[in-house]
């Protein structure tokens, strides 16, 4: 399954892309907080609404209970108004009965009833205080407006039908002023209906009592009063039934006591008598009126006693209704407190559980992340450990297993991560083993190629010694040169494989000689111009690696420059006792970015399987430079091309002697075929690109002189034994392996070249060099005369013909 398929299968469907991008950027902890916090906030909002509602109900019930208790004063006020109403009718009847008499009836009882009403109005105002409804305040002001009616009643007779509406309206206005049917908190509750029905039933029964009493006085409006009493009683019956629907059985039973008292029996009997003959209710004469008034006045105490009983029952029921409202308020408050306590307990439990669950999720994830980071760090160290290094650790990768701290999906993830880690470690170990096997295979192939080229060179030497044909010898020299280059490639292959072989004991070698040895290992050496400005010698251990390094740089310079352009090599010594080899070509060169990349590759370690295959030569140079701490820098050549500067530290060089000794110098590396050089040549190759190939000329047997004698036989094209044949004897010898930095000794005594190289480099004597060259030229001319041939002479020597330790 591809990564695209996995991503597609695990993508979040059904959510807007913007929301998904937003949640994808959230940390895991915030997602858990949202997952837990949103439901918690919703539940908290619902519980807050319920608690607020319960608190509102408690507050409303408390306000209702207070209103109910305050309404007891309103009921008393209604009773006082009805008492004044009754006194007003009595006074009016007295005025009618006293018609034609000079005496006026007393108004003391009426005035006392008025004072009781006014005092109760003040008490109602004080009881309600700031909570007094506006309608109730208006109703109280209407009671105060009864002053004119009161004065009229006190002055003389006033019919009852003119008195009743004022007092009935005042009583009804006081009850309506409470607004029980308009109060949103009470209109739809039992408390509001109970209180309203109770007050209206009390007022209706009070009006009924007043109507019966007024009809019994024989007033001229007695029939109208009787009809009013009938209507009031019907209102009372309706409100009593309404009260019974909302009240408890005990409250209904107590309320029925209004109809079952002894004063009510008296009132009921009078009401029954009035119902027998309503037409006889009105008296025809003042005497009849006085008789009826006297009879009504005798029964008046029963009316006042009934009023007190009714007012007591009403006050008792009001207290019960208020207590019920208080209980409702307490219940609502208790429910609100209980909900709040349960909510807080639930929230605390929920939060505690959420914290525990959140930690059970976050901590394993954090542990998993920390362990993954540690594994990544260990993996980075393992990758650095198995990188291209001379001291490779053969131990297996050391990766710590992931701790499995949970037995849920996260635990499964940790277990899967451990399996992935184990697999990755196994793959890494197998990769290390595979790379080691490949390196060993490269090393084996390099060894085989090196051994084969060594045998090939020995065979070529044997053929050269027995061959006299110049053309065939030239071809053999070409094959010899190719074999030397092939052996260099084998050495590079072994180097890349990490194989480092010690040399067989060898002496120091001049730095210029090392450069000439490197020239013998490349193609196109004719284009190289060598300028030697240093006589420093190189330590024996570094000769082979330095020769290989210079050969790779020269190969790159010759390969990546035009065929007609020269490659300039300069060997010089700096003031800090270091030596430098500068190789400059005039090709296309590299860009600044490419130069920086290649210079960095020369410094840092890099695995062979990661390095680009086109820069293997520079990879070999960088490996050798890091091994010997030799500085290699690539820069641009003025006019185009690349300049490689090799800085050999003083620790790898031998010091130049303070007092020079004049010593003969060896013959230059190459002499033109037409005209021998008149002095020492600074260049390793002639300017002519068509010059002959360098060939390995064997050392003369028993050459003890400082300057090699003229080899007439070689000049004449006759074969001659190789230096290895002179060193080991004329017979066949076993093949010996060529090792970098090694110089094969030929026996008890060394050749002249070896003796010169083992001595410290000293300034050359110009007279001795000139004498040696003259003798050499004379020997060449003598050889030409003796051979009697016109063939072009073969060059005497090339860097390939250095001691075997320098042949790489």
């Amino acid at each position: 399954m591809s990564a695209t398929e996995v991503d597609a299968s695990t993508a979040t469907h059904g959510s807007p892309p913007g929301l998904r991008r937003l949640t994808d950027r959230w940390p895991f902890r915030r997602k858990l907080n949202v997952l837990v916090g949103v439901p918690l906030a919703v539940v908290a909002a619902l519980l807050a609404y319920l608690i607020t509602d319960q608190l509102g109900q408690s507050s409303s019930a408390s306000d209702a209970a207070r209103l109910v208790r305050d309404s007891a004063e309103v009921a008393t006020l209604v009773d006082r108004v009805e008492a004044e109403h009754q006194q007003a009718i009595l006074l009016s009847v007295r005025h009618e009965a006293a018609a034609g008499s000079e005496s006026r009836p007393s108004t003391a009882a009426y005035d006392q009833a008025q004072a009781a009403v006014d005092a109760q109005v003040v008490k109602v105002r004080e009881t309600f205080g700031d909570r007094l409804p506006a309608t109730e305040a208006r109703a109280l002001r209407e009671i105060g407006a009864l002053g004119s009616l009161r004065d009229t009643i006190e002055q003389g007779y006033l019919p009852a039908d003119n008195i009743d509406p004022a007092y009935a309206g005042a009583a009804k206005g006081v009850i309506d002023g409470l607004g029980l049917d308009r109060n949103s908190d009470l209109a739809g509750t039992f408390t509001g209906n109970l209180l309203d029905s109770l007050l209206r039933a009390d007022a209706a029964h009070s009006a009924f009592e007043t109507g019966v009493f007024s009809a019994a006085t024989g007033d001229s409006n007695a029939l109208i009063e009787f009809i009013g009493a009938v209507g009031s009683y019907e209102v009372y019956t309706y409100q009593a039934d309404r009260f019974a629907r909302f009240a408890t059985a005990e409250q209904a039973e107590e309320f029925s006591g209004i109809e079952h008292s002894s004063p009510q029996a008296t009132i009921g009997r009078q009401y029954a008598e009035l119902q027998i003959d309503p037409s006889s209710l009105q008296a025809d004469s003042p005497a009849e009126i006085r008789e009826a008034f006297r009879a009504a006045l005798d029964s008046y105490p029963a009316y006042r006693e009934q009023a007190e009983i009714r007012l007591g029952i009403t006050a008792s029921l009001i207290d019960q209704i208020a207590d019920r409202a208080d209980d409702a308020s307490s219940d609502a408050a208790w429910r609100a407190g209980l909900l709040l306590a349960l909510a807080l307990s639930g929230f605390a439990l929920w939060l505690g559980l959420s914290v525990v669950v959140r930690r059970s999720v976050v901590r394993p994830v954090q542990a998993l992340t920390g362990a993954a980071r540690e594994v990544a760090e260990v993996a980075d160290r393992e990758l650095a450990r198995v990188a291209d290094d001379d001291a490779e650790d053969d131990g297996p990768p050391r990766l710590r297993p992931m701790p499995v701290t949970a037995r849920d999906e996260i635990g499964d993830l940790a277990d899967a991560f451990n399996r992935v880690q184990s697999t990755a470690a196994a793959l890494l170990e197998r990769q290390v083993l595979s790379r080691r096997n490949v390196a060993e295979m490269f090393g084996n192939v390099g060894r085989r190629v090196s051994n084969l080229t060594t045998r090939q060179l020995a065979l070529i030497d044997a053929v050269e010694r027995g061959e006299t044909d110049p053309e065939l010898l030239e071809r053999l020299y070409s094959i010899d040169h190719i074999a030397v280059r092939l052996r260099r490639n084998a050495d590079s292959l072994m180097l890349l494989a990490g194989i480092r072989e010690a040399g067989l004991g060898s002496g120091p070698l001049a730095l210029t000689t090392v450069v000439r040895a490197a020239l013998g290992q490349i193609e196109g050496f004719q284009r190289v111009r060598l300028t030697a400005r240093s006589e420093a010698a190189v330590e024996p251990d570094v000769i082979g690696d330095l020769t290989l390094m210079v050969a790779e740089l020269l190969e790159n310079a010759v390969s990546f420059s035009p065929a007609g352009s020269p490659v300039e090599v300069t060997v010089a010594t700096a003031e800090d006792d270091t030596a430098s080899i500068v190789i400059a070509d005039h090709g296309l060169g590299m860009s600044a970015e490419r130069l920086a990349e290649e210079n960095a590759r020369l410094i840092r370690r890099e695995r062979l399987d990661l390095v680009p295959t086109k820069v293997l030569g520079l990879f070999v140079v960088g490996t050798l430079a890091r091994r010997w701490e030799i500085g290699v820098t690539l820069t641009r050549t003025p006019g185009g091309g690349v300049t490689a500067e090799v800085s050999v530290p003083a620790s790898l060089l031998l010091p130049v002697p303070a007092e020079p000794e004049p010593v003969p110098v060896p013959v230059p590396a190459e002499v033109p075929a037409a005209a021998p050089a008149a002095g020492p040549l600074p260049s390793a190759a002639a300017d002519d690109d068509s010059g002959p190939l360098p060939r390995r000329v064997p050392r003369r047997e028993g050459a003890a002189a400082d300057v090699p004698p003229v080899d007439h036989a070689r000049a004449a094209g006759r074969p001659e034994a190789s230096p290895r044949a002179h060193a080991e004897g004329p017979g066949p010898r076993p093949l010996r392996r060529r090792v970098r930095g090694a110089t094969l000794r030929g026996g008890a005594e060394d050749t002249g070249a070896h003796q010169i190289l083992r001595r410290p480099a000293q300034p050359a004597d110009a007279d001795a060099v000139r004498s040696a060259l003259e003798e050499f030229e004379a020997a060449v001319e003598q050889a030409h005369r003796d051979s009697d041939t016109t063939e072009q002479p073969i060059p005497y020597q090339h860097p390939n013909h250095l001691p075997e330790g320098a042949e790489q």
Side-chain angles (χ1 to χ4, degrees), residues 74 77 121 124-125 128-145 173-174 176-179 182:
V74 175
L77 178 60
V121 169
V124 169
R125 292 181 184 276
F128 280 92
D130 297 338
R131 298 178 296 102
L132 182 67
T135 54
E136 185 68 14
R138 186 169 54 252
L140 295 177
R141 289 193 298 270
E142 291 178 357
I143 292 176
V174 171
D176 292 340
L178 295 176
R182 296 184 301 273

Side-chain angles (χ1 to χ4, degrees), residues 243-594:
F243 176 81
R245 288 196 302 269
F246 296 103
T248 62
E250 293 78 7
Q251 291 174 345
E253 181 67 21
E254 184 177 0
F255 183 75
S256 64
I258 296 175
E259 293 290 320
H260 298 89
S261 61
S262 56
Q264 178 62 25
T266 302
I267 297 172
R269 186 170 56 254
Q270 290 182 355
Y271 179 65
E273 292 175 354
L274 295 176
Q275 289 177 330
I276 293 174
D277 188 9
S279 59
S280 62
L281 295 179
Q282 183 175 354
D284 295 332
S285 61
E288 292 180 355
I289 291 175
R290 285 193 294 272
E291 181 65 23
F293 179 74
R294 188 181 300 108
L297 192 60
D298 291 340
S299 63
Y300 185 69
Y303 285 89
R304 296 314 308 153
E305 184 178 357
Q306 173 62 22
E308 292 178 0
I309 294 174
R310 175 177 43 78
L311 186 59
I313 294 174
T314 301
S316 176
L317 291 175
I318 287 176
D319 289 338
Q320 294 181 22
I321 296 172
D323 292 340
R324 184 176 178 180
D326 286 336
D327 293 340
S329 176
S330 299
D331 293 342
W334 184 84
R335 286 193 299 270
L338 180 61
L339 283 176
L340 181 60
L342 291 176
L344 292 178
S345 301
F347 286 159
L349 181 61
W350 193 345
L351 288 176
L353 183 61
S354 300
V355 169
V356 172
V357 174
R358 182 173 173 272
R359 287 182 178 179
S360 66
V361 174
V362 172
R363 285 184 176 179
V365 171
Q366 290 178 343
L368 190 65
T369 304
R373 289 175 179 171
E374 183 177 353
V375 169
E377 293 175 358
V378 173
D380 290 340
R381 291 196 298 269
E382 289 296 323
L383 289 177
R385 182 177 62 85
V386 300
D388 183 15
D389 193 359
D390 292 337
E392 183 179 358
D393 188 2
D394 295 333
R398 297 175 294 275
L399 299 178
R400 184 176 65 86
M402 188 72 60
V404 181
T405 58
R407 297 185 178 274
D408 51 5
E409 290 81 358
I410 298 178
D412 297 338
L413 177 61
D415 184 66
F417 190 87
N418 283 332
R419 292 198 301 269
V420 171
Q421 174 181 325
S422 300
T423 304
L427 289 176
L428 182 60
E429 186 175 2
R430 183 172 299 179
Q431 183 180 7
V432 173
L433 180 60
S434 176
R435 185 166 59 252
R436 187 182 302 115
N437 293 336
V438 171
E440 186 176 354
M441 179 183 65
F442 283 170
N444 291 334
V445 172
R447 286 193 185 97
R448 292 182 181 181
V449 173
S450 180
N451 292 334
L452 290 176
T453 52
T454 300
R455 294 172 59 186
Q456 183 181 13
L457 289 172
L459 293 174
I460 292 174
D461 285 344
V463 174
E464 287 177 352
R465 285 194 299 268
E467 184 59 47
T468 59
D469 186 0
E471 294 182 1
L472 185 57
L473 281 174
E474 189 66 26
R475 294 179 181 178
L476 289 176
Y477 298 154
S478 299
I479 297 174
D480 185 290
H481 185 64
I482 294 174
V484 172
R485 291 166 54 200
L486 180 61
R487 185 170 56 188
R488 175 175 62 85
N489 293 332
D491 291 340
S492 299
L493 188 61
M494 287 190 293
L495 175 68
L496 296 177
I499 298 175
R500 182 176 181 181
E501 296 183 349
L504 301 177
S506 63
L509 197 64
L511 189 57
T512 54
T513 307
V514 171
V515 176
R516 289 188 178 94
L519 283 172
Q521 301 179 11
I522 67 170
E523 186 177 6
F525 61 90
Q526 300 91 342
R527 295 162 46 194
V528 178
R529 295 178 178 177
L530 174 62
T531 301
R533 299 174 182 172
S534 173
E535 298 180 358
V538 183
E539 287 284 351
D541 293 340
V542 75
I543 290 176
D545 289 345
L546 184 59
T547 303
L548 181 58
M549 180 191 301
V550 175
E552 292 291 350
L553 293 174
L554 289 172
E555 183 75 28
N556 286 343
V558 172
S559 300
F560 293 99
S561 60
S565 64
V567 175
E568 300 168 353
V569 180
T570 303
V571 180
T573 304
E575 296 179 357
D576 55 353
D577 295 334
T578 61
S580 64
I581 303 173
V582 180
I583 303 172
D585 64 69
H586 301 278
L588 296 177
M590 299 181 184
S591 63
E593 295 79 6
R594 179 67 184 278

